[in-house]
């Protein structure tokens, strides 16, 4: 091979650049974790009561007489809204992804994809506005509830926000399955549904799981829409028609007011760490599940 | 390198006739229409689309960018013609004040075109934090700065924050218009809002709701960086009191009446300027049995209405030229007329002179 020296150099340079890009992700994750933790660290080691934080519902950060930082109701709020959103969005999103990828006529597919991407581009504050006005009165009318700013409202809004992500990534995962798989299955006499169910879904499971996870990530991390749609009330919901408050909404609503480096400010950063831990655990579990699937099959 | 890559025109390399010939004549009106005249000569150098490759989206996007660009240029020109640099006053804080502050800023643009006032909300705490961080010239607040905040401001800016009373706000208690309740006492409010308050049903107040299934009180409030939240907590529950858990903490003054207008069994507090046709303001008595006072300009000014508070603006020390002029104008009859239009209570000259607050013992 007769290569000019500057081509070799150029390739090396590009290699170096993409290596830095790859490593930068790790650097970013760790430095974000470090800075978030540093902001909350002083209080975390001095005066922070983990028992109260995780087991008490009494969230009184600005009380004049007795300050209490119990985040249980906030954790329950995030949990309930996310679980509901996923219960709606995962079947709906995966179903839509399968339809768009496998069953949909070509022309309709293009239209659908554009529309779904548009759905993903709607700003979260607009979703929150829909929750606050349209969904609120709809829930009051349909369920005869006293108030429409509830777990149900937040869950539905979050589901609508996660579906486009699940659809577009899920569709990509299904599209990435080689056509030879489909052809081989068809040649063996499988129906279209059998091809999808027995061949495509197992082959694309990693990508589909990634799609679901990104959807969960969006639901856990979403702030503005849930702030507006859930009613922002500190309580453990007893039903879908109770208002709640989420961890993210609490940070958004209170960080602006908390004096920098006060206990309240640092507790909000500890909530940030908690959110970090939650997403980390979800990712880890998903990884383990994928590995488990791989081993058993 | 190929000829194609060196040619600035997109399609011109392959067919020079297209790029420089009739197409440029066809394209230029599109550009000159959107651009300011000053830039017109440049348009001839703009690459024109090859008709075969022209993409309607590309063209629209380009047009949009040019329109935006020309808009910007236009604005700069106008400002330049006005002579002298435009002084910008940054002003943010209380959601209670934000509407009237915006109205003031807009009206002041006609009074003094050389001063531009930029207003945003976020809550009194946000505004005061901005003053401490020196990102603001004026912090709007519907509560007083705490000693702690004053200390931080002194440490950070080297100046004592100066308080200016720009008006008064009567805090109204709102219920849905179909709620038969007409008046409420401060004690009853404490029972509804307090941490260990015993009242959570309308029937406990002797109210029969039109729909008996709507007996539960939906308690709404404000999020905890709102000055309204702090003022109401202190006025109703005392210095040491806390709100009950599970209230709906809404994110803006307007959201409160908006929500109550849709929810027949809700109660909430916010400035009386935020009333809508779907809600009702309750008359308030200090004790059960006392005369109940409706929230109004007159009752706030004579001090009989129990829950009213001053609207404040904080500056860094004694303000300089334009800021002082702005504050003076706000307290002039012209500025106060705008305040009254927004549903607040004006600072009368007499009250400023004596330095008393018209709000009775609730403050």
């Amino acid at each position: 091979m007769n290569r000019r020296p500057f081509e070799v150099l150029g390739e090396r340079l590009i290699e170096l650049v993409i290596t830095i890009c790859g490593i930068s992700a790790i650097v970013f994750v760790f430095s974000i974790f470090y800075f978030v933790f540093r902001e909350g660290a002083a209080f975390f080691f001095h005066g922070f009561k983990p028992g109260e934080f995780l087991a008490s519902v009494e969230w009184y950060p600005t009380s004049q007489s007795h300050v209490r930082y119990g985040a249980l109701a906030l954790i329950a709020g995030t949990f309930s809204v996310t679980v509901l959103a996923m219960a709606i969005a995962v079947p709906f999103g995966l179903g839509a992804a399968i339809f768009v990828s496998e069953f949909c006529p070509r022309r309709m597919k293009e239209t659908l994809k554009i529309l779904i991407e548009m759905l993903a581009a709607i700003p979260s504050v607009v979703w929150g506005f829909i929750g606050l006005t349209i969904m609120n009165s709809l829930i009051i009318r349909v369920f005869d509830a006293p108030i429409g700013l509830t777990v149900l409202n937040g869950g539905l809004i979050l589901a609508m926000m996660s579906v486009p992500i699940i659809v577009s990534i899920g569709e990509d995962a299904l599209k990435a399955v080689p056509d030879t798989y489909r052809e081989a299955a068809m040649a063996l006499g499988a129906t279209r549904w059998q091809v999808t169910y027995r061949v495509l879904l197992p082959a694309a499971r990693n990508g589909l799981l990634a799609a679901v996870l990104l959807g969960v990530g969006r639901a856990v991390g979403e702030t503005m829409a849930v702030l507006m749609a859930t009613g922002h009330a500190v309580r453990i919901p007893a039903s879908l028609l109770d208002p709640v408050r989420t961890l993210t909404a609490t940070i958004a609503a209170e960080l602006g007011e908390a004096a920098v480096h006060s206990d309240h400010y640092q507790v909000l950063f500890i909530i940030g760490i908690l959110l970090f831990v939650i997403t980390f655990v979800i990712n880890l579990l998903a990884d383990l599940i994928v590995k488990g699937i791989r081993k058993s099959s | 390198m190929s000829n194609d890559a060196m040619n600035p025109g997109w399609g011109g390399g392959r067919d020079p006739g297209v790029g420089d010939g009739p197409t440029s004549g066809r394209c230029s009106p599109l550009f000159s229409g959107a651009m300011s005249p000053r830039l017109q000569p440049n348009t001839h150098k703009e690459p024109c689309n090859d008709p075969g490759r022209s993409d309607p989206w590309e063209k629209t996007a380009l047009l949009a960018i040019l329109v935006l660009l020309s808009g910007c240029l236009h604005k700069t020109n106008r400002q330049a013609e006005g002579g002298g640099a435009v002084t910008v006053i940054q002003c943010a804080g209380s959601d209670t004040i934000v509407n009237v502050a915006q109205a003031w800023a807009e009206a002041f643009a006609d009074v003094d075109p050389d001063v531009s006032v930029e207003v945003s909300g976020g809550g009194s705490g946000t505004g005061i934090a901005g003053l401490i961080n020196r990102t603001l010239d004026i912090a709007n607040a519907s509560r007083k700065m705490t000693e702690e905040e004053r200390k931080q401001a002194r440490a950070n800016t080297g100046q004592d924050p100066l308080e200016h009373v720009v008006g008064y706000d009567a805090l109204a208690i709102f219920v849905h218009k179909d709620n038969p309740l007409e008046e409420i006492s401060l004690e009853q409010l404490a029972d509804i809002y307090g941490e260990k308050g015993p009242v959570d049903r309308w029937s406990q107040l002797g109210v029969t709701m039109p729909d008996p299934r709507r007996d539960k009180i939906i308690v709404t409030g404000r999020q905890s960086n709102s000055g309204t939240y702090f003022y109401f907590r202190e006025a109703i529950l005392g210095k040491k009191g806390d709100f009950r858990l599970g209230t709906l903490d809404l994110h803006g003054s307007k959201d409160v009446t908006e929500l109550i207008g849709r929810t027949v069994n809700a109660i909430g507090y916010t400035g009386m300027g935020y009333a809508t046709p779907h809600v009702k303001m309750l008359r308030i008595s200090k004790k059960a049995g006392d005369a109940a006072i409706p929230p109004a300009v007159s009752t706030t000014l004579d001090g009989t209405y129990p829950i009213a508070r001053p609207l404040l603006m904080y500056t860094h020390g004694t303000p300089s030229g334009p800021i002082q002029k702005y504050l003076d104008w706000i307290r002039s009859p012209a500025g106060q007329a705008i305040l009254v239009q927004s549903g607040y209570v004006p600072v009368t000259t007499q009250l400023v002179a004596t330095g008393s607050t018209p709000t009775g013992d609730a403050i």
Side-chain angles (χ1 to χ4, degrees), chain A residues 57-60 62-65 68 136 140 144-147 149 231-235 245 253-254 257, chain B residues 126 152 195 213-214 218 224-225 229 233 239-240 242-249 259 262-263 265:
Chain A
V57 296
E58 295 188 345
W59 179 255
Y60 284 112
T62 57
S63 171
Q64 297 288 321
S65 52
R68 282 149 287 174
N136 181 26
I140 290 175
D144 196 27
I147 182 154
L149 300 176
H232 211 57
V234 184
R235 63 165 86 165
R245 193 206 272 209
E254 295 182 358
E257 151 238 9
Chain B
T126 310
Q152 283 182 352
E195 191 186 350
R213 286 172 310 163
R214 295 277 179 269
I218 305 278
S224 60
N225 65 336
Y229 171 99
R233 189 173 72 184
K239 272 205 184 321
K240 299 269 172 195
D242 277 313
F243 285 126
R244 71 162 69 227
L245 285 174
T247 59
L248 286 111
D249 302 340
L259 182 84
R262 291 166 203 275
T263 315
N265 48 342

Side-chain angles (χ1 to χ4, degrees), chain A residues 196-209:
Chain A
T196 307
Y197 185 66
R198 297 283 178 80
V199 178
L200 293 178
L201 288 188
R205 63 169 181 248
N206 283 3
L208 294 177
L209 196 67

Side-chain angles (χ1 to χ4, degrees), chain A residues 136-253:
Chain A
N136 181 26
S137 33
L138 205 67
I139 289 174
I140 290 175
R141 225 177 312 142
V142 173
F143 293 96
D144 196 27
I147 182 154
L149 300 176
T150 55
V151 178
L152 181 66
N153 192 337
L156 284 172
I157 292 284
L158 281 185
M160 285 193 274
M161 294 173 76
S162 331
V163 161
I165 294 175
I166 297 178
V167 176
S168 16
I169 297 172
E171 198 252 350
D172 283 344
L174 287 168
K175 210 168 59 187
V177 176
D179 272 341
T180 48
Y181 283 34
R182 293 185 183 84
E183 285 156 10
M186 292 274 194
L188 289 172
T191 64
R192 239 170 147 188
W193 174 241
Q194 285 169 328
V195 173
T196 307
Y197 185 66
R198 297 283 178 80
V199 178
L200 293 178
L201 288 188
R205 63 169 181 248
N206 283 3
L208 294 177
L209 196 67
V212 170
L213 277 184
L214 282 170
V216 174
R218 171 119 211 215
V220 171
E222 176 49 44
T223 305
M224 209 54 222
V226 290
L227 182 67
M228 293 164 82
T230 54
H232 211 57
V234 184
R235 63 165 86 165
I236 292 180
S239 81
L240 288 182
L241 296 176
D242 273 348
V244 289
R245 193 206 272 209
T246 63
L247 293 165
T248 47
T250 304
I251 297 179

Side-chain angles (χ1 to χ4, degrees), chain A residues 107-140:
Chain A
R107 183 168 295 187
M108 189 178 171
K109 183 174 175 170
E110 291 311 310
T111 323
L112 270 181
K113 279 180 79 170
I114 290 171
L115 286 178
I116 287 165
E117 270 151 31
M118 270 172 73
L119 206 60
I122 295 177
S124 60
V125 70
V126 173
W127 283 117
F129 187 70
I130 293 170
L132 193 64
T133 55
I134 301 168
M135 299 280 292
N136 181 26
S137 33
L138 205 67
I139 289 174
I140 290 175

